[in-house]
């Protein structure tokens, strides 16, 4: 999850020296639409969570290489809600994100609004990702209904899109799933939002 500066530079050197072609999500859309060819050895450079190190180190370094990148942000965290304790004071704010989103080669996308954490997912109290888990209700000994789960997911993704659009002026091109976990409900909700 964390890469030292020296390792990051070595990785970017490797990509450049070995013929890799970092592409943007906007390019990927054109490729999928048949308007542009996929370059050989295409890769997406993605960065999760919206840490300040992205603006302070990654973007300046990628400018040297002329590599585009994608930044995924949890909009509730940017709003100051439910931030992980280890991220306190280390996350980018809306003003910084607005500036970054105007940089050539930087795309800011959704990492959901508030689905990047865990909750009780069963009677044993197992902490599971809330993006793919129907909440367990210990009082009633029942799980969240499918309808409520779908509603919660749709509302969360809509909130993320709305926050990004209102703060940055554009809707995100994509969503990055917390912990890499997703299911058909998330895919359907994301597809409905475009």
């Amino acid at each position: 999850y964390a890469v030292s500066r020296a390792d990051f530079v070595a990785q970017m050197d490797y990509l450049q020296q070995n013929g890799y072609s970092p592409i943007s999500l906007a390019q990927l859309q054109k490729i999928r639409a048949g308007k542009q060819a996929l370059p050989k050895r295409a890769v997406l450079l993605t960065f999760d969570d919206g840490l300040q190190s992205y603006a302070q180190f990654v973007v300046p370094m990628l400018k040297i290489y002329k590599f585009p990148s994608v930044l995924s942000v949890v909009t509730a965290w940017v709003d100051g809600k439910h931030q992980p304790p280890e991220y306190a004071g280390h996350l980018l704010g809306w003003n910084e994100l607005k500036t970054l989103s105007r940089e050539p080669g930087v795309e800011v996308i959704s990492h959901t609004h508030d689905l990047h954490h865990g909750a009780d997912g069963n009677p044993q109290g197992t902490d599971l990702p809330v993006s793919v888990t129907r909440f367990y209700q210990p009082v009633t000994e029942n799980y969240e209904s499918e309808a409520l789960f779908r509603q919660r997911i749709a509302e969360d993704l809509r909130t993320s899109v709305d926050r990004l659009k209102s703060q940055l002026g554009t809707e995100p091109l994509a969503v990055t799933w917390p912990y890499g976990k997703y299911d058909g409900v998330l895919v359907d909700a994301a597809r409905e939002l475009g």
Side-chain angles (χ1 to χ4, degrees):
Y1 294 103
V3 177
S4 73
R5 289 176 183 225
D7 285 348
F8 182 75
V9 170
Q11 290 171 2
M12 296 307 103
D13 281 344
Y14 179 87
L15 293 176
Q16 188 175 58
Q17 292 168 9
N18 288 280
Y20 286 87
S21 299
I23 62 171
S24 68
L25 287 172
Q27 285 176 280
L28 186 57
Q29 283 184 322
K30 289 176 185 174
I31 292 163
R32 291 181 70 199
K35 297 177 182 178
Q36 186 176 329
L38 180 68
K40 289 184 179 183
R41 304 187 104 175
V43 295
L44 276 172
L45 300 178
T46 64
F47 301 85
D48 287 357
D49 301 342
L51 293 165
Q52 290 175 352
S53 59
Y54 176 78
Q56 295 166 350
F57 178 73
V58 172
V59 171
M61 185 57 56
L62 292 181
K63 281 182 180 180
I64 294 168
Y65 292 92
K66 296 182 175 73
F67 287 171
S69 63
V70 178
L71 176 65
S72 305
V73 297
V74 180
T75 52
W77 293 356
V78 183
D79 288 339
K81 301 173 186 166
H82 309 128
Q83 293 177 354
E86 64 272 19
Y87 283 178
H90 298 288
L91 290 170
L92 296 164
W94 285 119
N95 288 336
E96 294 161 306
L97 289 169
K98 190 177 296 185
T99 299
L100 282 168
S101 71
R102 294 180 180 141
E103 288 275 345
V106 173
E107 294 171 310
V108 180
I109 66 169
S110 173
H111 202 17
T112 75
H113 177 65
D114 193 21
L115 296 179
H116 202 321
H117 60 90
D120 286 350
N122 56 35
Q124 295 76 31
T126 307
D127 193 49
L128 298 171
V130 300
S131 58
V132 292
T133 301
R134 281 71 175 160
F135 291 139
Y136 178 72
Q137 309 295 330
V139 174
T140 61
E141 297 182 347
N142 289 316
Y143 291 88
E144 179 179 35
S145 71
E146 184 72 13
L148 286 176
F149 175 69
R150 286 180 179 276
Q151 179 182 346
R152 176 170 60 84
I153 295 302
E155 287 174 2
D156 183 277
L157 295 181
R158 166 52 59 202
T159 300
S160 179
V161 168
D162 290 347
R163 294 298 294 140
L164 289 165
K165 186 174 182 180
S166 71
Q167 293 295 320
L168 307 182
T170 59
E171 291 187 3
L173 293 176
V175 60
T176 303
W177 303 122
Y179 312 109
K181 304 288 185 189
Y182 65 95
D183 62 12
V185 172
L186 274 81
V187 171
D188 290 346
R191 187 173 288 123
E192 287 176 27
L193 291 168

